[in-house]
Amino acid sequence: MDISHPHPALPSVATPSVLPKEGSTVGLSAWADIDLTAISDNVAELGRRAGDADVMAVIKGDAYGHGLVPVAGAALAGGATYLAVAQLSEALAARAAGVSAPILTWLFPPGADLAAAVRADLTVSAGAPWALTEIAAAARATGSAARVHLKADTGLGRGGAWREDLAGMLRDAARLEAEGIVDVEGIFSHFACADLPGHPTVRAQQETFVAVIADAERVGLRPRIRHLANSAATLTNPSAQFDMVRPGISVYGLSPVPDIGGPTHFGLREAMRVTARLINVKDCGPGQGISYGHQYTTKGETRLGLVPLGYADGIPRHAGNVGPMQVGGRHYTVAGRVCMDQMVLDLGADSPAAAGDEVVLIGREAHGEPTAQDWAAAIDTINYEIVTRLGPRVPRRYLGVQQ
Ligand SMILES: *Cc1c(COP(=O)(O)O)cnc(C)c1O
């Protein structure tokens, strides 16, 4: 395989359009404001809560829908010393955009262009024997040592190698490190149930992680960065902090444990605000079925407002009749089905709303606005999914200091 050229099929990272900083929203159907100061402040708060541990900010999934590159800068400004993404393509995109901080990537298949990763000075995860073999080959091909974080499956039952299978990888890694082919900088694992702090798997995984670190040390490895804690563990379980915490959702000011507390409870604030404009407001009589399938019927004389967002923008179709929105300080839920590009609000007969008025879909808990968590609760999913699926048709506008 020719590894001197980037893989032609490597996907580029889709990014929504960006409005200028003080850009006007006149004439836009909808937009998402991303408060970069909130991101920096959230990372700083996570750093305080992590004590001596450093913060690796997780910016996969286009930074949970907030924008890979601007969020990278804001997270670093807030004190993060490391960034992490899932796909190798995301890590390469960040490098190509000038992000120079350490970046860990843990998701790539056999045959991935790991030489490009080594040349881009990325940190690659090895969670299976084939990965260590291919990382070593890439390091030899480029003539530079590959920086590696070994990934253990301590009980999540997803990525990484089981403790028994890691034994052989640890020996191989120690040999490759002695030869100068790899630098085993880190070792990590991921929790299954950190959002249920008393769950017995939490302690069990932590104990296995400690055992795996001891296994690594027995073969002569000295991983300097041992990391296990996602957001939920960072906020609820100080004993899991090790050398670095690895939060994602909390960086964006959303709670990983909404039953325990919202962002305010943890000293965080939501960074994403999604606003749309009513593009049609009209009077409507009683008994009128609304939107496809007539899953909602008006009860009396009322006014209808048309919101120009739909499931093509990431508004969940399951939010029909339950998705929360706010117009002019009043709270509503979607009337009838969410369509591909549009949905309807029953504004009430006395509504003063007019075409062009702003509709808040996602705002701040502390301001009594609908939140990503409210949307998640309404359709029985998690806030992660709500912000991450916000589509590229919704332009992002960055507020606060762009680093
Ligand atoms: C997504 C992810 C994280 C971040 O999890 P949050 O719950 O968003 O804090 C950390 N580590 C791994 C391996 C992940 O996949």
Side-chain angles (χ1 to χ4, degrees):
M1 195 185 99
D2 179 10
I3 51 175
S4 62
H5 300 290
H7 194 287
L10 196 64
S12 61
V13 176
T15 47
S17 63
V18 173
L19 297 176
K21 185 143 181 264
E22 307 296 336
S24 165
T25 61
V26 172
L28 289 178
S29 289
W31 65 97
D33 284 319
I34 309 296
D35 181 351
L36 296 176
T37 308
I39 303 250
S40 300
D41 291 351
N42 291 338
V43 170
E45 178 61 24
L46 292 164
R48 279 189 290 276
R49 285 169 181 265
D52 292 336
D54 289 327
V55 177
M56 171 187 279
V58 179
I59 57 171
K60 61 188 179 186
D62 200 27
Y64 293 50
H66 294 64
L68 177 72
V69 175
V71 167
L76 295 167
T81 58
Y82 229 106
L83 303 170
V85 292
Q87 294 282 359
L88 171 59
S89 56
E90 301 178 289
L92 290 169
R95 274 288 184 270
V99 178
S100 60
I103 306 176
L104 171 65
T105 166
W106 56 67
L107 221 54
F108 43 85
D113 191 357
L114 294 177
V118 174
R119 277 196 301 268
D121 198 24
L122 298 172
T123 306
V124 287
S125 159
W130 70 259
L132 194 57
T133 304
E134 294 202 10
I135 290 165
R140 289 197 174 95
T142 57
S144 325
R147 198 177 318 102
V148 174
H149 286 204
L150 296 169
K151 184 167 192 188
D153 189 333
T154 55
L156 170 58
R158 197 180 72 177
W162 304 116
R163 182 180 174 198
E164 310 80 77
D165 301 333
L166 204 60
M169 285 176 64
L170 291 173
R171 280 192 300 276
D172 290 346
R175 184 176 42 76
L176 290 166
E177 189 167 73
E179 291 172 31
I181 306 290
V182 302
D183 167 18
V184 181
E185 179 191 60
I187 188 161
F188 75 116
S189 188
H190 195 35
F191 279 120
C193 305
D195 54 336
L196 303 169
H199 197 279
T201 59
V202 174
R203 176 190 281 259
Q205 282 197 256
Q206 236 168 285
E207 286 169 2
T208 303
F209 189 56
V210 170
V212 162
I213 292 167
D215 293 345
E217 289 173 349
R218 260 194 298 280
V219 300
L221 292 169
R222 295 284 177 273
R224 313 183 281 290
I225 308 180
R226 298 160 295 181
H227 51 112
L228 178 59
N230 57 1
S231 292
T234 302
L235 294 173
T236 67
N237 181 5
S239 68
Q241 285 164 353
F242 294 91
D243 303 307
M244 199 173 257
V245 295
R246 204 174 60 240
I249 196 73
S250 53
V251 166
Y252 309 96
L254 297 175
S255 174
V257 285
D259 293 342
I260 297 176
T264 317
H265 176 79
F266 293 110
L268 308 169
R269 67 182 192 275
E270 301 94 328
M272 178 187 285
R273 178 183 189 79
V274 177
T275 312
R277 269 183 214 293
L278 292 174
I279 62 163
N280 192 7
V281 176
K282 65 187 180 196
D283 294 331
C284 181
Q288 174 64 52
I290 301 298
S291 190
Y292 291 135
H294 283 181
Q295 299 293 301
Y296 178 91
T297 305
T298 56
K299 281 160 202 68
E301 288 292 334
T302 190
R303 309 192 77 211
L304 302 177
L306 187 59
V307 181
L309 286 172
Y311 60 79
D313 303 294
I315 305 300
R317 187 168 175 279
H318 280 110
N321 282 330
V322 294
M325 284 177 265
Q326 194 181 34
V327 181
R330 298 190 196 183
H331 289 266
Y332 300 99
T333 52
V334 180
R337 288 213 176 121
V338 174
C339 311
M340 187 184 290
D341 319 288
Q342 317 178 29
M343 54 189 165
V344 179
L345 293 177
D346 181 346
L347 296 166
D350 61 343
S351 169
D357 282 6
E358 294 186 3
V359 182
V360 179
L361 286 91
I362 293 178
R364 289 197 38 203
E365 166 198 79
H367 296 168
E369 294 167 330
T371 61
Q373 176 55 35
D374 293 335
W375 281 85
I379 63 160
D380 195 22
T381 185
I382 52 176
N383 50 29
Y384 298 64
E385 188 178 356
I386 300 297
V387 289
T388 302
R389 63 195 284 174
L390 187 71
R393 288 205 307 198
V394 181
R396 300 336 192 231
R397 183 172 64 163
Y398 292 97
L399 311 177
V401 185
Q402 193 145 358
Q403 303 294 322

